[in-house]
Amino acid sequence: MLYPKTIEQKLGFDKLRERLKEACISPLGVSYVEKIRFSDNFSMVEKLVSQTAEMKKILEIGENFPSQNYLDVTTSLHSVTIEGMVLTQSEFSDIKVSLQTILLCLRFFANQEAEAFPLLGEYAKQINVDKAITDAIDKVIDDRGQVRDTASTELARIRRQLISEQSGIRKKLDSMLRAAKSSGWVGEDVSLTVRNGRMVIPVAAEHKRKLKGFIHDESSTGQTVFIEPTDVFESNNEIRELEYEERREINRILLQLTNQIRPYAPDLLRAYKFLGLMDYLRAKAKLAIEMQAINPPFFNKQFVNWRNAKHPLLHLSFRKQGKTVVPLNIELQEKERILIVSGPNAGGKSVSLKTVGLIQYMFQCGLLVPMEEGSSMGFFQNIFIDIGDEQSLENDLSTYSSHLTNMRHFLSLANKKTLFLIDEFGTGTEPGLGGAI
């Protein structure tokens, strides 16, 4: 249990969440970041933190782990399951390059010793991308994301004929353009262009009646008109018809390919879930390296034993400025489980409290923590904090009434497995009573 509802904002975890989103390559990873939640399940926390530690190890030893084309094609894959749906050329292109990334990830773990990355290696073994899928897509889609000429005999024939017709019409138009230039109907720097999908000659408006043909367009100033000469009208029609044929054939090929991959959709969706996890773990590992964070020993007991722990956000901010954070050494255990911190204003008391809360919170969200070796982490089912002014005009609460409301919650719900942090409880009342409290 967490208290209050705004605990993430009060501790600053919302800013760490944003940093993780920025470190992700794709929406797949971002969706995992959005689902981060504090866990009171010891085994789950241990697994999440260990996965992050394995990815951090991969990045630190400089292994060649994929870092591109983490594309989210899950919407396309869900539509594949609907009979009669056809994926587009660009959708298949995205699937092709992102499947290559997935296969590179799987190949990476397959080439490692089993004990090197036990959790991620075991997960990778559960992912199956059938070679029939990649072969079928590669046969149709080239490396530029276009449908290959060789995707079908009919498509190859249409494209050959299209090239032949385009070449013939260009020769005719080049000849007409040269004649128009020599007659002074067009400028010397004018070249052939396309309007409404048809090849035309740009002609000066005053000479438009000297070249027989159909006017498709004119320039914004009206000084130039774009004419399709009568002599190439039929050839342009033939090209347009061939383009329609090409489009129909491509659609038929893509429909056939969509039908081919439909039975594999469930396996592919699992593979992209894996790809999203890899992106998410890379983001967590990169943040851990930036924070100089570690995976300390983790025990299912309520204690704090940290060496040179640093406030994560301050540490990141100060590093950019060339400054260093004053580290925190703190120990709480079964016999000495309550610590009262006193000192002057601006002495770092509130920062220390937030450091304890944020580090424990982020660890139980599956992140590595900025502290030194020799530290160890305890486990708490609840984190309750009373930090900052919760004065509310809406609820008619003064600053002090807000503290009392929080204390009532603490007293009612706290147990031996609760980490509670109280900052300046006496604030908001008169000095005598506040000091006594």
Side-chain angles (χ1 to χ4, degrees):
M1 183 186 298
L2 301 169
Y3 183 86
K5 290 180 181 178
T6 56
I7 190 169
E8 285 202 2
Q9 290 72 33
K10 285 189 166 293
L11 292 176
F13 187 80
D14 56 329
K15 294 183 176 65
L16 284 179
R17 194 188 290 270
E18 287 306 311
R19 281 180 174 269
L20 284 172
K21 286 182 182 180
E22 290 168 9
C24 289
I25 302 171
S26 79
L28 288 167
V30 171
S31 68
Y32 273 89
V33 175
E34 289 171 346
K35 293 172 189 170
I36 292 177
R37 296 292 180 272
F38 174 87
S39 174
D40 59 3
N41 182 316
F42 181 82
S43 299
M44 176 60 71
V45 173
E46 192 171 40
K47 177 184 175 183
L48 293 174
V49 174
S50 297
Q51 284 180 338
T52 309
E54 287 185 13
M55 183 58 76
K56 178 174 175 262
K57 181 182 173 185
I58 291 171
L59 298 187
E60 282 181 330
I61 60 180
E63 291 285 355
N64 190 23
F65 197 79
S67 60
Q68 291 182 324
N69 295 323
Y70 282 71
L71 305 180
D72 183 4
V73 299
T74 51
T75 302
S76 301
L77 290 174
H78 282 298
S79 66
V80 161
T81 60
I82 303 168
E83 199 73 35
M85 286 294 290
V86 183
L87 295 190
T88 65
Q89 204 166 268
S90 63
E91 285 177 310
F92 272 118
S93 176
D94 286 348
I95 291 173
K96 175 176 177 170
V97 294
S98 52
L99 277 179
Q100 287 171 352
T101 300
I102 292 173
L103 290 172
L104 287 171
C105 290
L106 297 178
R107 197 172 301 144
F108 172 86
F109 290 114
N111 291 336
Q112 304 297 320
E113 297 293 332
E115 62 274 11
F117 309 106
L119 290 174
L120 299 183
E122 189 58 36
Y123 188 16
K125 287 178 184 176
Q126 300 168 26
I127 305 304
N128 177 42
V129 178
D130 199 301
K131 192 172 182 295
I133 304 169
T134 52
D135 285 351
I137 295 173
D138 191 55
K139 185 179 177 183
V140 171
I141 306 294
D142 65 19
D143 292 337
R144 295 173 296 116
Q146 303 298 312
V147 174
R148 297 182 189 274
D149 294 352
T150 55
S152 78
T153 307
E154 179 64 9
L155 184 62
R157 180 196 67 78
I158 292 168
R159 286 182 172 173
R160 277 196 306 272
Q161 194 172 342
L162 194 54
I163 290 168
S164 174
E165 289 290 339
Q166 287 171 337
S167 175
I169 197 171
R170 180 169 284 279
K171 285 178 182 176
K172 284 184 185 178
L173 286 172
D174 279 338
S175 174
M176 292 177 187
L177 182 62
R178 283 194 298 272
K181 284 180 180 179
S182 64
S183 301
W185 301 343
V186 299
E188 284 300 321
D189 58 340
V190 169
S191 59
L192 297 176
T193 186
V194 175
R195 285 292 186 275
N196 302 321
R198 302 170 82 89
M199 295 186 76
V200 294
I201 297 175
V203 179
E206 63 266 28
H207 301 301
K208 64 183 179 182
R209 302 201 182 280
K210 295 175 181 176
L211 184 66
K212 291 183 180 180
F214 180 79
I215 298 175
H216 280 273
D217 198 3
E218 67 176 14
S219 64
S220 56
T221 61
Q223 294 180 350
T224 304
V225 293
F226 299 91
I227 299 176
E228 178 185 5
T230 307
D231 290 353
V232 298
F233 192 77
E234 285 304 319
S235 297
N236 262 331
N237 281 345
E238 180 65 25
I239 288 173
R240 180 61 66 90
E241 184 54 42
L242 285 168
E243 286 172 346
Y244 290 148
E245 280 187 50
E246 180 188 32
R247 201 177 306 162
R248 287 193 294 270
E249 180 62 13
I250 286 173
N251 190 66
R252 186 194 69 77
I253 291 166
L254 294 178
L255 174 61
Q256 186 180 49
L257 185 56
T258 304
N259 291 337
Q260 270 184 276
I261 72 166
R262 182 170 292 116
Y264 302 101
D267 282 347
L268 289 174
L269 285 167
R270 277 193 294 274
Y272 280 93
K273 187 177 177 183
F274 167 78
L275 186 64
L277 178 64
M278 294 302 104
D279 186 18
Y280 169 56
L281 290 177
R282 282 184 80 261
K284 289 205 292 182
K286 284 170 71 178
L287 182 64
I289 292 169
E290 204 178 342
M291 293 189 302
Q292 298 171 312
I294 64 168
N295 178 20
F298 183 39
F299 301 94
N300 196 0
K301 296 177 183 178
Q302 288 67 55
F303 72 93
V304 174
N305 181 22
W306 301 349
R307 299 288 174 265
N308 289 329
K310 297 173 183 175
H311 189 286
L313 294 170
L314 272 182
H315 182 44
L316 291 171
S317 174
F318 278 20
R319 278 190 71 192
K320 284 185 179 178
Q321 301 172 41
K323 301 178 184 177
T324 54
V325 175
V326 176
L328 175 67
N329 292 299
I330 181 168
E331 185 174 351
L332 294 171
Q333 21 112 341
E334 191 174 347
K335 291 183 179 179
E336 296 173 327
R337 56 196 177 88
I338 296 179
L339 177 65
I340 298 174
V341 183
S342 66
N345 289 339
K349 300 186 298 298
S350 295
V351 172
S352 296
L353 277 177
K354 289 184 177 181
T355 301
V356 173
L358 180 54
I359 285 180
Q360 189 67 44
Y361 189 90
M362 63 191 286
F363 189 82
Q364 289 190 229
C365 285
L367 276 69
L368 303 186
V369 285
M371 55 184 66
E372 290 188 357
E373 299 295 343
S375 304
S376 50
M377 294 294 298
F379 176 68
F380 296 91
Q381 285 188 345
N382 313 309
I383 298 182
F384 297 163
I385 68 169
D386 178 27
I387 298 175
D389 186 357
E390 284 293 332
Q391 187 179 56
S392 171
L393 296 176
E394 188 179 312
N395 297 319
D396 192 26
L397 286 180
S398 68
T399 299
Y400 186 59
S401 299
S402 161
H403 283 307
L404 289 177
T405 302
N406 291 340
M407 289 312 103
R408 183 179 64 185
H409 187 94
F410 283 30
L411 289 169
S412 301
L413 298 172
N415 58 23
K416 290 181 179 180
K417 295 185 177 181
T418 301
L419 172 66
F420 65 87
L421 306 167
I422 305 170
D423 189 24
E424 297 189 347
F425 178 45
T427 301
T429 188
E430 58 93 11
L433 286 174
I437 289 168

